[in-house]
Amino acid sequence: MRFFSEKYHSSVCFVRKEKPADLCWETQKMVDRRYVGCNRIDLKKEDVPPYGYVSGDKLKPVKVYVVIRGRSVPDGVYTYDGAGQSAVPDVAGQLVRIGGKDEMKKIVAAFPDKDFAGEAPLLYIFTGLFERSVWRYRESAYAQVTQDVGACAASVMLHSKAKGAKVFALSGFVDDEIAVALNLPATEIPLAALAVFPEYSELAFDSVDGGVGETAYSNRGEMESEIDYDASRYPSLFMRQNRAENITDLSKCIRIRRLAAQAFPGDEFPLTPAKFDAAHYLDKIQDIEEPLNNRLPFRKAGLDLDDFSSILRWLEAGQINLFGAGLLRIWIVSFDVMFVYPGVYRYVPVRKSIYMQSGMLNVKKFAKCHLSPEVADNTALAVILTADLKESCNLQGERAYRYMNLNAGYFIQSMTLSATLVRRTLRSERFFYHDELRTLCEIPENESIIAEILVGKT
């Protein structure tokens, strides 16, 4: 019996046998991140971007960089230091300037649409700090860190949209060019980026995919061609060992846009309208600094039909397929939801409906599919995100692993904020038995579980 983490990512985390010294990338010495001598700008609480996000075991393995231009602070590349100390009262942290015009140009050059990226007043870059998670998750560290990055990006996106900004996910960039420009250490790799424009900006409408967020860049063409890798270009041993997943030449990549919106067989159950419209919802979540992700066991408490519908429909307040192509499949498992017959459903967001796939499940058997059954006891609602890995990798190459987990992170963050608003607790469960859970919920064998989200009350 194997965990999903071991089975799912064994094909990604390969190593090069010709250089045994490279195998222990997680033991490489970190570069000095104290930023001694760098210019610092004090920030008040209302100025600090909300980086509160759901993190596996609260390890917080995400670092945020931002390229700023045309704002109240000097143009440059910054990182946020939340622990920065200042004699000034009410300071929530500091922006640390780590680069100027040269670094800004190098970062912009890594994106396919350089004009669009180069005009963004705020260009966020999210990196994964693997030394914080590999000891805990081992082979699954890549998946868990990537989901955390997706959750952090979702937090920034939703709160930026609440202030009227236009936000665009940029899923394609040359990985090592970003890493070199930011001087990343051996265990830190760039995973995602967001461009943020003010509401009045006309340039924002020139996004490469019209702002829909359905475009992804496949490195399948790169993988099929003969590429002469220059090892000296890669600052990160992790990136070098897993080079098949990274984009190195955007001219060899394929841009993909795909969204499945067809109905499914099975009885259709239309969702009720959300309690708040998108604008009101975004306004309310600004007050949530740290989403609830309580590890205490759930107590017996059902979920109201309107709350159930709202949690699902608020997913579309942002971009439900944040980093492209819509390859995730959404399974809803209802145990204790008012007026919703217990069973397994497929959710189609475009149609605002769920479709029954199989009948009632035994919640005790469901709980036994987890390493610690008590964490799943009294679950009112479970969301299982799956994907056909063969289909996804044929379409997107090894880049598919990144996109699917980034999108799963968006689901986790968005649903956590929504559950908090309706006074429920959401738990992103990391340790479960893949095959047993898939069999119990009658999920097709060709689909692998990417993430599991449990909703209840603590």
Side-chain angles (χ1 to χ4, degrees):
M1 189 178 298
R2 306 171 69 185
F3 291 111
F4 127 82
S5 57
E6 298 175 48
K7 185 174 183 178
Y8 176 52
H9 282 279
S10 59
S11 61
V12 180
C13 297
F14 64 87
V15 294
R16 297 190 305 162
K17 295 182 179 179
E18 65 269 21
K19 287 190 177 182
D22 288 351
L23 300 183
C24 296
W25 57 265
E26 67 269 26
T27 65
Q28 297 297 308
K29 184 179 179 180
M30 288 284 290
V31 299
D32 187 351
R33 310 309 268 179
R34 292 174 296 178
Y35 304 109
V36 175
C38 292
N39 294 331
R40 291 174 174 264
I41 300 172
D42 291 336
L43 294 174
K44 294 184 178 180
K45 184 176 180 180
E46 58 268 20
D47 299 327
V48 177
Y51 298 138
Y53 61 94
V54 180
S55 173
D57 281 0
K58 297 185 178 180
L59 297 175
K60 300 290 184 181
V62 183
K63 193 165 182 62
V64 183
Y65 301 86
V66 58
V67 180
I68 301 177
R69 55 173 56 83
R71 310 289 284 186
S72 59
V73 301
D75 291 2
V77 182
Y78 294 82
T79 185
Y80 174 66
D81 180 8
Q85 300 297 320
S86 172
V88 181
D90 299 326
V91 169
Q94 296 176 324
L95 274 182
V96 184
R97 194 170 191 267
I98 60 173
K101 291 183 178 180
D102 291 342
E103 288 76 18
M104 293 172 70
K105 289 179 180 178
K106 290 178 182 177
I107 291 172
V108 168
F111 292 90
D113 193 334
K114 298 174 179 56
D115 292 336
F116 184 75
E119 293 294 330
L122 295 172
L123 179 61
Y124 288 94
I125 297 171
F126 303 89
T127 64
L129 304 170
F130 283 85
E131 76 282 354
R132 292 194 182 177
S133 295
V134 72
W135 64 270
R136 170 66 166 159
Y137 293 113
R138 305 307 298 172
E139 302 96 325
S140 183
Y142 183 83
Q144 307 309 327
V145 170
T146 311
Q147 288 183 21
D148 284 4
V149 168
C152 186
S155 177
V156 174
M157 162 177 272
L158 292 170
H159 285 80
S160 297
K161 288 175 73 71
K163 296 179 180 179
K166 294 183 174 70
V167 188
F168 304 92
L170 306 178
S171 58
F173 50 80
V174 181
D175 300 70
D176 62 307
E177 289 185 10
I178 297 284
V180 169
L182 295 175
N183 189 30
L184 300 186
T187 58
E188 182 178 356
I189 64 173
L191 291 171
L194 291 177
V196 180
F197 289 83
E199 185 177 12
Y200 56 80
S201 174
E202 294 184 3
L203 183 69
F205 292 102
D206 297 329
S207 166
V208 291
D209 67 351
V212 179
E214 296 295 342
T215 295
Y217 283 80
S218 168
N219 66 345
R220 183 166 51 85
E222 254 193 342
M223 295 166 61
E224 293 173 353
S225 61
E226 291 295 329
I227 302 176
D228 183 19
Y229 289 93
D230 179 6
S232 65
R233 295 180 64 203
Y234 292 86
S236 167
L237 295 178
F238 184 89
M239 292 170 65
R240 211 187 312 167
Q241 292 167 359
N242 298 276
R243 60 192 181 192
E245 191 271 338
N246 295 287
I247 285 178
T248 59
D249 186 351
L250 283 163
S251 67
K252 294 184 173 67
C253 293
I254 306 163
R255 202 171 82 188
I256 296 169
R257 182 171 175 176
R258 167 181 168 169
L259 178 64
Q262 74 275 10
F264 287 94
D267 294 335
E268 180 179 5
F269 186 91
L271 300 177
T272 61
K275 283 189 170 182
F276 316 120
D277 61 17
H280 194 191
Y281 166 74
L282 291 171
D283 182 62
K284 278 187 168 293
I285 64 173
Q286 290 190 80
D287 298 329
I288 304 174
E289 295 183 6
E290 191 70 25
L292 294 175
N293 193 24
N294 201 317
R295 305 306 299 179
L296 295 174
F298 294 136
R299 59 185 174 86
K300 186 67 175 175
L303 196 63
D304 180 83
L305 174 61
D306 290 336
D307 291 343
F308 167 75
S309 298
S310 296
I311 289 174
L312 295 179
R313 296 190 66 169
W314 284 333
L315 281 167
E316 296 185 88
Q319 294 172 1
I320 199 167
N321 296 301
L322 186 62
F323 291 95
L327 293 175
L328 286 184
R329 299 168 186 182
I330 309 168
W331 295 81
I332 306 296
V333 185
S334 169
F335 289 110
D336 192 359
V337 180
M338 184 184 296
F339 303 128
V340 178
Y341 189 79
V344 181
Y345 298 79
R346 283 288 299 271
Y347 176 42
V348 184
V350 175
R351 294 180 172 269
K352 310 294 189 296
S353 295
I354 57 176
Y355 297 82
M356 176 167 264
Q357 304 297 296
S358 61
M360 183 182 298
L361 289 181
N362 184 304
V363 69
K364 294 298 182 183
K365 290 184 178 179
F366 178 81
K368 289 180 180 179
C369 292
H370 299 78
L371 181 63
S372 301
E374 63 273 11
V375 303
D377 277 339
N378 298 321
T379 296
L381 165 69
V383 176
I384 300 175
L385 304 176
T386 70
D388 185 330
L389 297 185
K390 183 176 181 181
E391 174 195 27
S392 300
C393 290
N394 283 340
L395 187 66
Q396 298 179 319
E398 293 290 347
R399 196 75 168 190
Y401 290 90
R402 176 182 299 190
Y403 294 147
M404 288 186 293
N405 282 293
L406 287 171
N407 282 329
Y410 171 79
F411 271 82
I412 294 167
Q413 179 67 18
S414 177
M415 289 189 63
T416 301
L417 293 171
S418 302
T420 303
L421 280 185
V422 298
R423 299 177 299 281
R424 291 295 184 271
T425 302
L426 182 141
R427 180 176 299 139
S428 174
E429 185 52 43
R430 312 280 175 155
F431 299 102
F432 55 84
Y433 298 106
H434 180 281
D435 293 337
E436 283 78 353
L437 186 60
R438 185 181 59 192
T439 300
L440 181 68
C441 297
E442 298 184 21
I443 296 172
E445 290 188 5
N446 64 317
E447 295 185 28
S448 295
I449 299 176
I450 309 301
E452 184 194 32
I453 302 166
L454 308 179
V455 181
K457 190 173 182 65
T458 55

